[in-house]
Amino acid sequence: MKSKTGTTWQTCGGALLVALGIFGAHYAWRASRAYSLYHGAKYGAGRDDLPTILRSIEKAHRLYPHNYRFCTWAAEQAYRERNKVRGEDRERRYRAAENWTDVGLALNRYSGPLNLLKARLLERRDPAAAVRVWERYVDWHFWEPYNHAVLVDLYASAGDVERAADELEWVKGSEHYEWALGKLQ
């Protein structure tokens, strides 16, 4: 005959495992549904329709708010599509790109595409702030010539030609040199 204490612990342990299983199944369902929405937004029939993309990514992010790639896709698409409209619609796309960029950077501050997008978004209003954002990223990911080429462009955009010329030294010998030189000139 089993003791009553042993049975109680087994029952409690079993109940805990059932509860964890239910939680895990629910979590897995939410994550897989979010990835399905993301996949549809990126590769599905609505991949060329920005409002559809943004609605899908918003739903995906609500279901599973831990994936910065959702944010990256939404921000990149809003930024890419900004020049296809005018007036308030263009500003709305800029705001969507800024919002998703900030959300994505809160999830992964080392994301190269999101840091670049943040710098490009800031560049139109505050070129010096754009330089600071990209300098922080370049300090972390220093040995990539493309990063220095973008820094040349941002320095030139901010009117700091001397620093742009100094930064060009880090791009010499790379495939990005001609582009960076053109931005400096």
Side-chain angles (χ1 to χ4, degrees):
M1 182 171 210
K2 291 186 178 181
S3 72
K4 194 162 183 104
T5 304
T7 306
T8 303
W9 283 109
Q10 289 173 348
T11 303
C12 289
L16 178 63
L17 288 176
V18 168
L20 285 172
I22 291 170
F23 171 78
H26 180 69
Y27 188 84
W29 176 85
R30 289 174 62 99
S32 65
R33 178 69 182 127
Y35 277 97
S36 176
L37 287 165
Y38 169 63
H39 186 270
K42 193 165 184 178
Y43 304 109
R47 70 180 176 264
D48 296 324
D49 180 39
L50 184 63
T52 301
I53 290 170
L54 294 177
R55 277 192 306 274
S56 293
I57 296 300
E58 178 68 36
K59 287 179 194 172
H61 184 70
R62 274 196 316 267
L63 285 169
Y64 188 74
H66 309 294
N67 192 332
Y68 71 93
R69 285 188 174 89
F70 298 168
C71 306
T72 303
W73 183 250
E76 286 175 344
Q77 296 314 299
Y79 186 73
R80 183 178 61 93
E81 298 286 319
R82 76 196 182 282
N83 289 329
K84 293 185 177 180
V85 292
R86 301 223 178 274
E88 181 56 33
D89 287 337
R90 179 181 285 181
E91 288 306 311
R92 199 173 295 121
R93 290 180 181 192
Y94 269 116
R95 285 192 304 272
E98 287 172 350
N99 174 61
W100 284 111
T101 299
D102 291 341
V103 171
L105 284 171
L107 294 170
N108 179 2
R109 65 185 178 117
Y110 298 108
S111 169
L114 288 173
N115 275 289
L116 179 58
L117 193 50
K118 180 72 173 179
R120 291 299 185 197
L121 288 164
L122 282 171
E123 183 179 22
R124 74 186 186 125
R125 287 190 316 260
D126 187 355
V131 166
R132 287 191 300 275
V133 165
W134 195 245
E135 280 176 334
R136 258 192 320 269
Y137 180 74
V138 172
D139 285 346
W140 178 75
H141 197 1
F142 187 81
W143 296 108
E144 175 59 45
Y146 174 75
N147 295 342
H148 293 281
V150 171
L151 204 47
V152 168
D153 180 27
L154 291 171
Y155 281 141
S157 176
D160 194 343
V161 178
E162 187 176 318
R163 287 180 77 185
D166 290 344
E167 197 66 31
L168 191 61
E169 292 298 315
W170 291 102
V171 186
K172 274 189 180 169
S174 79
E175 64 190 89
H176 309 291
Y177 183 76
E178 293 299 321
W179 177 82
L181 183 61
K183 293 296 182 177
L184 178 60
Q185 292 174 344

